[in-house]
């Protein structure tokens, strides 16, 4: 199996004619971490629900771990680990009880299931909290338990739907580490949805950007950024009256770019190597600088380029609606 | 043990544990029937024998015991539906659905848990009534018939709770059906014999299957072991179960196919 996930023309239309997913193609290689990036309501969760057999596609085909999601749903379920949005965990059960139950759901023999449960509790750092009810866990602990639950049966493909939404930065980084380690040590294919650019950038080998139910860009983060092109150099002159002169110098290195007030910016044609020459030219012109910043193109720039709107701004704006459960976004 | 059976029993155990660990879930199903049983006994305990048409009884408490048992099962059924809806809302249902676990275990486990809880409840109410002086004319066999019927009654009632949960997907909506369950009981002979009712009220109670169900159980307590009456109760339970559990199974399938 070279490709863990193959999706062709996948569609999901809800009652009322809303096309949450509108004909997407995906090829995720075995052992890859694939990041599915997009704002709220872009179709990420709907795609994951179809790939995890929770929702029937209304068009197209999808295979996961070599099995068709519609006609071989049982085999798909045996091969996948799923951690859905909001860490759906029974608050009245303890972490240990849930892990044992999950092992039973996957028909893992008792002794093996118990051993695997302990191993995972240890691994995600919940061994001390194992006998506490999940209702008392912090958000980060729930996500880690959710991840452990998804790994009980050593799945071939792991689906993580917005695994760090609502987590504090420390917990987020800890979860990233865990996903990286898992991918590296066990070669588990990871399909991750996120609305955070940084998350996609940090974790994913390849990124698919989805907006309005369609994939608008796909590639490695570096490739996508390279498509946007040159880095931006931002110069803040020490003396504000020299701003105009500084802009004049910069224009010889490439087209000017938007920036903050009191500063001037240029898209560096020569790339990063051009900085030295710019600094020298400014020095020759007698312009002293209070600040020099180099901005590599970000995935956000890619997003803006392809969709015409910003991702992070949208994500923040929609944060109030984050309490929404995946279920409800199914209309 | 086959994986499907183990999954059913493990999920049932989880449901029972969840109920015990959430006092708001089991407290009302024990408290309200006890209160009603106490109030009715205190109010009618001595005068019941003089009401025309009231069956000859040993004490009102013996008569009221069945009502408490059935009421407890009904309240628990709403609770079971509420838990199931909470599983849908919270995403636990998706966890089950995305695992290779037996599809029927998802539904059957909830019903098995309900049976277990209803049996415990029936024993509890019976014990309380006996402590306070009630008698069971059917003796040990009669008591066992009532306990077994109460346990079985949890199947159609739990099925109705789950059906509502699957249709609405909302714990609040299921809890909102609570008055309906109560109306079903009050317009029946759960608390008073049909012989003492008049007019349209009696007609409704005559038509209400709950009346015949309760009477079949009560017969064992106030008259003596009556297999025919028990058979009527059992038939009603089976009939209701076919409707509600069948409906649940259909709706479960629809939901699992992601068409809702």
């Amino acid at each position: 199996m070279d490709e863990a996930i193959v999706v062709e023309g996948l569609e999901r239309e809800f009652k009322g004619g809303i096309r949450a997913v509108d004909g997407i193609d995906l090829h995720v290689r075995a052992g890859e971490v694939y990041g599915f990036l997009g704002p709220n309501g872009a179709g990420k969760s709907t795609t994951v629900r179809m790939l995890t057999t929770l929702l029937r596609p209304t068009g197209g085909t999808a295979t996961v771990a070599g099995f068709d999601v519609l006609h071989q749903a049982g085999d798909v379920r045996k091969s996948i680990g799923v951690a859905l949005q909001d860490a759906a965990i029974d608050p009245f059960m303890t972490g240990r009880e849930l892990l044992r139950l999950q092992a039973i759901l996957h028909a893992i023999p008792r002794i093996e299931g118990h051993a695997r449960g302990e191993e995972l509790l240890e691994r995600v750092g919940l061994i001390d909290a194992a006998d506490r009810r999940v209702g008392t866990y912090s958000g980060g602990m729930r996500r880690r338990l959710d991840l452990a639950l998804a790994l009980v049966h050593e799945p071939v493909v792991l689906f993580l739907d917005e695994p760090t939404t609502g987590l504090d930065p420390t917990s987020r980084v800890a979860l990233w580490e865990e996903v990286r380690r898992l991918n590296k040590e066990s070669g588990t294919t990871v399909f991750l949805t996120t609305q955070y650019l940084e998350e996609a950038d940090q974790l994913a080998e390849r990124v698919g950007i989805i907006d309005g139910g369609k994939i608008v860009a796909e590639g490695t983060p570096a490739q996508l950024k390279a498509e946007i092109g040159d880095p931006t150099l931002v110069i803040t002159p020490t003396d504000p009256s020299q701003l105009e002169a500084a802009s004049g110098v910069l224009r010889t290195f490439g087209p000017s770019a938007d920036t903050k007030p009191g500063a001037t910016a240029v898209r560096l044609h020569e790339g990063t190597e051009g900085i030295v020459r710019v600094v020298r030219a400014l020095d020759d012109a007698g312009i002293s600088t209070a600040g020099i910043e180099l901005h590599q193109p970000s995935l956000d720039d890619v997003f803006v380029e392809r969709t015409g709107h910003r991702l992070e701004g949208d994500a923040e704006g929609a944060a109030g609606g984050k309490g929404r459960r995946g279920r409800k976004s199914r209309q | 043990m086959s994986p499907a059976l183990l999954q059913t029993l493990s999920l049932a155990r989880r449901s029972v544990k969840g109920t015990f660990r959430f006092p708001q879930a089991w407290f009302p199903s024990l408290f309200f029937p006890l209160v009603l049983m106490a109030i009715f006994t205190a109010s009618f305990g001595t005068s019941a024998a003089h009401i025309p048409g009231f069956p000859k009884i040993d004490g009102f408490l013996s008569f009221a015991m069945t009502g408490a048992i059935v009421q407890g099962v009904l309240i628990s059924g709403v609770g079971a539906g509420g838990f199931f809806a909470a599983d849908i809302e919270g995403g636990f249902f998706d966890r089950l659905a995305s695992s290779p676990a037996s599809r029927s275990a998802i539904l059957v486990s909830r019903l098995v848990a309900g049976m277990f809880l209803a049996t415990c409840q029936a024993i509890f109410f019976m014990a309380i009534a006996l402590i306070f002086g009630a008698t069971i004319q059917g003796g040990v066999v009669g008591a066992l018939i009532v306990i077994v019927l109460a346990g079985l009654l949890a199947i159609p009632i739990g099925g109705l709770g789950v059906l509502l949960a699957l249709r609405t997907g909302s714990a609040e909506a299921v809890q909102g059906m609570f008055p309906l369950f109560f109306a079903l009981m009050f317009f029946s002979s759960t608390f008073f014999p049909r012989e003492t009712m008049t007019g349209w009220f009696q007609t409704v109670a005559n038509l209400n299957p709950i009346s015949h169900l309760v009477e079949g159980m009560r017969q064992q307590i106030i008259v003596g072991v009556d297999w025919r009456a028990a058979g009527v109760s059992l038939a009603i339970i089976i009939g209701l179960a076919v409707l509600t559990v069948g409906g649940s199974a259909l709706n479960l399938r629809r939901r699992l196919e992601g068409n809702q």
Side-chain angles (χ1 to χ4, degrees):
Chain A
M1 187 187 64
D2 298 332
E3 290 191 314
I5 302 172
V6 180
V7 169
E8 265 151 23
L10 195 67
E11 279 174 24
R12 175 68 208 202
E13 189 176 313
F14 288 104
K15 282 171 199 156
I18 302 148
R19 290 201 162 198
V21 174
D22 194 3
I24 62 169
D25 298 323
L26 283 172
H27 293 265
V28 179
R29 285 189 298 272
E32 187 175 33
V33 179
Y34 187 90
F36 208 37
L37 178 67
N40 271 337
K44 301 189 298 289
S45 291
T46 306
T47 305
V48 167
R49 294 187 70 83
M50 286 192 282
L51 295 181
T52 55
T53 76
L54 291 175
L55 189 66
R56 248 169 209 269
T58 49
T61 60
T63 62
V64 174
F67 302 109
D68 187 281
V69 292
L70 208 52
H71 304 110
Q72 295 167 297
D75 292 314
V76 171
R77 291 182 193 122
K78 281 181 199 152
S79 317
I80 59 171
V82 184
L84 292 177
Q85 229 167 322
D86 294 333
I89 299 178
D90 182 344
F92 300 116
M93 300 278 278
T94 70
R96 185 171 272 129
E97 285 171 341
L98 278 171
L99 273 162
R100 290 183 176 177
L101 180 62
Q102 189 76 10
I104 291 169
L105 296 180
H106 282 277
I108 298 170
R110 189 185 150 87
I111 295 168
E112 199 186 320
H114 282 203
R116 182 81 183 135
E118 296 308 303
E119 185 193 321
L120 284 165
L121 282 169
E122 189 78 56
R123 179 171 185 160
V124 298
L126 287 175
I127 201 89
D128 293 331
D131 290 322
R132 267 167 54 193
R133 288 190 201 169
V134 174
T136 67
Y137 284 19
S138 70
M141 291 164 82
R142 279 167 189 251
R143 298 297 176 122
R144 296 208 304 274
L145 178 61
D146 202 14
L147 181 64
L149 289 168
L151 295 174
V152 162
H153 54 299
E154 300 180 307
V156 185
V157 183
L158 177 65
F159 288 91
L160 301 175
D161 194 8
E162 303 208 3
T164 66
T165 298
L167 285 194
D168 60 87
T170 320
S171 308
R172 181 174 296 173
V173 172
L175 204 97
W176 289 351
E177 280 307 316
E178 197 48 55
V179 172
R180 270 193 210 108
R181 195 171 73 158
L182 175 79
N183 172 256
K184 207 169 132 197
E185 287 175 6
S186 329
T188 310
T189 309
V190 180
F191 187 91
L192 160 102
T193 79
T194 182
Q195 46 177 327
Y196 299 121
L197 296 159
E198 195 195 350
E199 187 157 275
D201 218 350
Q202 285 276 335
L203 278 181
E205 288 160 58
R206 276 194 315 135
V207 173
I209 298 181
I210 182 168
D211 190 47
K214 289 183 194 297
I215 292 184
V216 294
E218 193 185 42
T220 66
Q223 274 172 358
L224 290 171
K225 291 176 203 164
E227 282 178 31
I228 295 298
D230 306 324
T232 309
L233 186 69
V234 180
I235 300 288
T236 313
T238 317
D239 180 359
S241 67
Q242 289 185 314
L243 191 61
E244 205 43 51
S247 299
V249 173
L250 289 191
R251 269 199 289 277
T252 60
F253 293 92
S256 48
D258 289 341
T259 188
K260 56 196 174 188
T264 178
V266 64
R267 281 274 175 84
L268 270 186
H269 271 332
E270 295 172 54
T272 316
E273 287 80 49
I275 304 176
V276 182
R277 300 213 300 118
V278 174
V279 174
R280 235 179 250 150
L282 287 170
D283 200 32
D284 290 346
I287 300 165
S288 71
T289 52
I292 301 176
E293 297 160 45
L294 184 74
H295 295 295
Q296 295 291 349
S298 69
L299 283 176
D300 197 26
D301 296 324
V302 178
F303 196 80
V304 172
E305 170 97 359
R306 297 301 175 100
T307 68
H309 50 268
R310 294 214 162 257
L311 173 69
E312 301 244 288
D314 286 2
E316 295 307 313
K322 264 322 291 166
R324 273 188 335 149
R325 298 239 158 83
R327 165 187 67 84
K328 284 182 183 153
S329 63
R330 286 195 285 145
Q331 323 286 331
Chain B
M1 203 186 296
S2 84
L5 182 60
L6 183 63
Q7 284 158 2
T8 305
L9 293 177
S10 303
L11 285 171
R13 204 172 65 170
R14 170 210 166 235
S15 301
V16 171
K17 274 187 186 172
T19 308
F20 278 124
R21 289 176 188 178
F22 189 53
Q24 290 96 312
W26 55 260
F27 183 75
S29 66
L30 295 186
F31 182 73
F32 289 117
L34 276 187
V35 167
L36 271 185
M37 186 161 78
I39 291 174
F40 287 148
T41 306
S43 311
F44 307 105
T46 49
S47 53
H50 310 297
I51 299 172
F54 209 96
K56 193 178 149 351
I57 46 168
D58 215 23
F60 193 83
L61 196 55
S62 312
F63 180 87
M65 190 196 307
T66 325
I69 292 171
V70 171
Q71 197 190 350
V73 176
L74 287 178
I75 297 175
S76 300
V78 177
F83 268 110
F84 200 92
D87 277 354
I88 296 174
E89 281 184 303
F92 193 85
F93 182 83
D94 284 340
R95 178 182 298 288
L96 297 178
S98 66
S99 83
S102 148
R103 308 287 99 177
S104 54
I106 299 173
L107 172 61
V108 177
S109 63
R110 201 35 94 179
L111 302 179
V112 170
M115 274 174 71
F116 175 78
L117 292 169
T119 307
C120 293
Q121 269 181 345
I123 293 170
F124 172 80
F125 289 130
M126 210 172 256
I128 296 282
L130 288 175
I131 289 169
F132 284 93
T135 51
I136 298 174
Q137 299 302 324
V140 176
V141 176
L144 283 176
I145 293 174
V146 172
I147 291 168
V148 168
L149 286 172
L152 291 174
L153 178 61
I155 297 173
I157 301 300
L160 183 58
V162 172
L163 175 63
L164 293 171
L166 282 164
R167 291 217 59 101
T168 63
S170 147
E172 258 174 64
V174 176
Q175 299 292 346
M177 304 302 277
F178 192 79
L180 184 88
F181 282 68
F182 252 77
L184 260 174
M185 265 188 307
F186 279 108
F187 288 101
S188 78
S189 56
T190 305
F191 301 109
F192 297 99
R194 276 185 289 148
E195 291 79 2
T196 61
M197 299 171 183
T198 52
W200 65 270
F201 195 83
Q202 190 177 38
T203 314
V204 173
N206 281 341
L207 293 172
N208 189 343
I210 303 285
S211 300
H212 306 277
L213 169 84
V214 171
E215 284 161 23
M217 292 166 79
R218 191 158 53 210
Q219 197 72 359
Q220 321 298 324
I221 294 172
I222 61 172
V223 178
V225 173
D226 182 339
W227 291 104
R228 209 185 113 80
V232 171
S233 293
L234 185 65
I236 292 168
I237 290 172
I238 292 172
L240 291 175
V242 168
L243 288 176
T244 65
V245 178
S248 294
L250 281 176
N251 277 277
L252 177 68
R253 223 174 92 178
R254 272 180 62 191
R255 196 172 267 278
L256 285 173
E257 285 176 357
N259 288 335
Q260 280 188 335

